[in-house]
Amino acid sequence: MDASYLDLLMAQQEEVAEAEGGGGGIWVVADLVDGGVAPVTLEAIGAARNLADSLGAYVYGVLLGDGVADLALALYQAGADGVRVADHPALASFAAETYLAVLADLFAAEQPEAVLFGATDMGQQLAARLAQRMGGGLIEHTVALSLDEATRALQASFPVYGGEYFEIAACPQARPQFLTVEPGAFAAPFIDPYRQGSPTMLDVTPLEPAVRRVGEADGFAPPPVPLNRARLIVAAGRQAGDFALVERLAAALGGQVAGDRGARDAGWIESGQVVDLRSATVAPDVYLAVGIRGDTFHNAAIEQARFILAIHPDPQAPIFEVADLGLEADPQQVLPLLLQALE
Amino acid sequence: MRVIVVLGHVLDPRGIAVNRRAGRVFINRREYILQPADRCALEAALRIKDEMPAEVVVLPRSPLPDDDVLRQALATGADRAVYLAGDGLAAADDAAMARLLAAAVERLGGADLILTGATTLDTGQGQLGLRLAEALGWPHVADAWALKTSDDRLEVVRQEGAGYAVLEAALPVMVTVAPGALEPRYPDGARLINIYRGQGEVAAALETWDAADLVDADALQPLLERRGQEFPPERERGVRASGGLEEMARSAADALRRQVRV
Ligand SMILES: Cc1cc2nc3c(=O)[nH]c(=O)nc-3n(C[C@H](O)[C@H](O)[C@H](O)COP(=O)(O)OP(=O)(O)OC[C@H]3O[C@@H](n4cnc5c(N)ncnc54)[C@H](O)[C@@H]3O)c2cc1C
Ligand SMILES: Nc1ncnc2c1ncn2[C@@H]1O[C@H](COP(=O)(O)O)[C@@H](O)[C@H]1O
């Protein structure tokens, strides 16, 4: 069948019968980026949709901002049954007290069963304060969700020690159940371009906040992160070839530069940057070994790294035995390509 | 100026082994360290005390097996610490601790500033400080990287996206401090010895309060129920990227993106 004909057939727009509030439902408070709805919000709506279908509940989206009413469509298309919009100049950028006042009023009236936020700067702040205000439980940085049907409780997994393992928890008694969901942890939902609805506008009463943003912190530089606490390390060894490429890769990834004893002997790094059981052990999320052969002392010092990527021309190099991914290649040749691929 | 620091302990990750195959966490050395972000919060308080007359009071963020972290804080320069004990306290979650701590703050006669870590090293949860602000009805600033106080105002530098912004708050205010924000100082050896020997002023600065005198038993009921642990699949080491240089570079870039979400 002709695709455009199919489009014609389906082009009867599906108006979502705006779900009435007044009890229950899974609510998702939207994060905005670059004037649009953040991916994490759509992911949260997708997760909420799955749970809501098992619970027989509605999914609602909440938008706060200035001139954001048009974004409601994105929430409907991701699966929301209803959308509430607080549109006011006072909400133009995130201000905890102002946003809290709007949401506290809304949720006091609607009595949600569960409220989801993105585990973002904004979501983390709002979820904790609303949970305490409404007597609800909160599980942050959720990466997986399941339903305990006996209590209608949402069971959530969250990472411990940065993802070494996961705890599963639930707040079965208290309502609402608050959750923040980790960006990227849940699949993006199916976007139904034919869904639409008419959002309900909320009243906004501006208040005089006790905390005000003064401006940019010009010239503020955070303290250097010691190697043993660095989250991403790009380390060079004798076979790195071009150390400038290693530095560029570290900058591109927002990581710290380090190396093995060979790199220090080559004069590329200081003694304080040497990764070796006798100097410093590290436990980053990602360790990139560029041209490091990987002797026993070096490899033992990186044992706690969560993900190790090794690049070395010698297929027999011991670093490959501990690496999660190994590239048998000359760093000088592969690094420019890797930098390109990361752009 | 009175600054309250809420701090807690965490199992030193260097003493534990997560065995994915066995699906268990092995505690090889039961050693606790101060929560790294709470250590930064303490440092922020002590820097205020370096600058102006201030009293630094320390409270626990969670039920503690003993008062070691409070003693450490006193040895590092805090003036006073309160250990909270009592029946029904052991199960308290962040919601319950926030209520209990709010009552403790009231009993201390209030404060100008409360500082705590923005997140915990183990569970990664950041709700305690914000819940406490809510329980007290105070405003908050989350994830501070630097603080500057005057008599009735506070300037806070916090991360916003890729940059940093300055926020201004009227006191009192609750501030959570980012892990790694400040290079923390170490406890003073002589003070530490005095505290453990029960000698001198510093030893007298540690008191114990009964939770039952602060809140009723209902307030300590936890909302959070632990339901188990999950372990990621075992790491498969020694995997080699295939193909030519370009293909290898692409697999590496994909793997890095998955790991760091660049
Ligand atoms: C499996 C694993 C997972 C990890 N995950 C993370 C993560 O997700 N995020 C993260 O940021 N980090 C992580 N790390 C790194 C870890 O946080 C740090 O190694 C740990 O916090 C120790 O910090 P530190 O180096 O400041 O400790 P140290 O500075 O060694 O301090 C440890 C304790 O000893 C005391 N102490 C140390 N030296 C002295 C001294 N000279 N005098 C008096 N007292 C002293 C301190 O007061 C402190 O309480 C992880 C590590 C491992 C092994
Ligand atoms: N301290 C430990 N650290 C890491 N793994 C361990 C530890 N003790 C035992 N194991 C492993 O855990 C699994 C189950 O051990 P067990 O329960 O003691 O029989 C086995 O594979 C052991 O090798």
Side-chain angles (χ1 to χ4, degrees), chain B:
Chain B
M1 161 96 88
R2 175 184 279 151
V3 185
I4 293 178
V5 183
V6 178
L7 47 74
H9 69 317
V10 59
L11 266 179
D12 188 339
R14 289 166 292 196
I16 66 174
V18 177
N19 188 319
R20 294 180 176 183
R21 180 147 28 122
R24 275 177 60 190
V25 179
F26 292 90
I27 300 171
N28 298 324
R29 278 183 291 121
R30 186 170 288 279
E31 271 173 29
Y32 292 98
I33 57 172
L34 274 178
Q35 287 281 5
D38 292 346
R39 244 179 117 193
C40 292
L42 176 61
E43 177 61 28
L46 296 176
R47 287 191 191 181
I48 291 170
K49 202 181 140 184
D50 292 342
E51 294 288 316
M52 60 165 75
E55 183 197 22
V56 175
V57 187
V58 177
L59 296 172
R61 75 152 48 234
S62 60
L64 296 175
D66 53 49
D67 54 18
D68 271 350
V69 293
L70 302 181
R71 288 177 195 263
Q72 275 219 22
L74 287 172
T76 312
D79 300 290
R80 185 177 172 192
V82 180
Y83 181 71
L84 299 172
D87 294 338
L89 182 57
D93 61 1
D94 286 337
M97 281 310 295
R99 284 190 287 268
L100 178 63
L101 287 166
V105 171
E106 300 287 327
R107 184 158 155 195
L108 281 168
D112 301 293
L113 177 63
I114 303 182
L115 299 172
T116 191
T119 178
T120 61
L121 176 66
D122 46 351
T123 61
Q125 304 287 297
Q127 52 186 297
L128 193 262
L130 301 166
R131 278 182 176 274
L132 176 54
E134 184 64 38
L136 289 164
W138 287 18
H140 76 264
V141 179
D143 278 307
W145 279 80
L147 274 74
K148 208 171 95 193
T149 37
S150 63
D151 280 336
D152 60 345
R153 302 198 76 74
L154 175 73
E155 261 187 23
V156 182
V157 174
R158 71 184 301 270
Q159 193 162 14
E160 267 178 19
Y164 293 84
V166 182
L167 272 63
E168 192 190 48
L171 300 179
V173 63
M174 142 68 67
V175 177
T176 69
V177 181
L182 304 156
E183 189 55 53
R185 65 194 72 183
Y186 284 111
D188 179 85
R191 279 173 76 93
L192 201 57
I193 291 167
N194 281 339
I195 287 169
Y196 278 97
R197 285 205 186 134
Q199 286 174 351
E201 244 174 83
V202 264
L206 178 61
E207 46 197 307
T208 299
W209 290 358
D210 190 338
D213 295 340
L214 294 167
V215 293
D216 53 29
D218 281 351
L220 291 178
Q221 286 303 313
L223 306 174
L224 191 78
E225 230 177 73
R226 295 274 166 105
R227 297 213 165 163
Q229 296 172 335
E230 255 174 352
F231 291 80
E234 246 185 296
R235 279 168 69 170
E236 202 184 321
R237 309 231 194 183
V239 177
R240 313 265 172 133
S242 58
L245 283 174
E246 298 230 356
E247 199 182 329
M248 280 198 262
R250 257 200 311 278
S251 339
D254 289 345
L256 287 174
R257 263 194 220 100
R258 272 197 304 280
Q259 294 297 326
V260 293
R261 302 202 190 106
V262 283

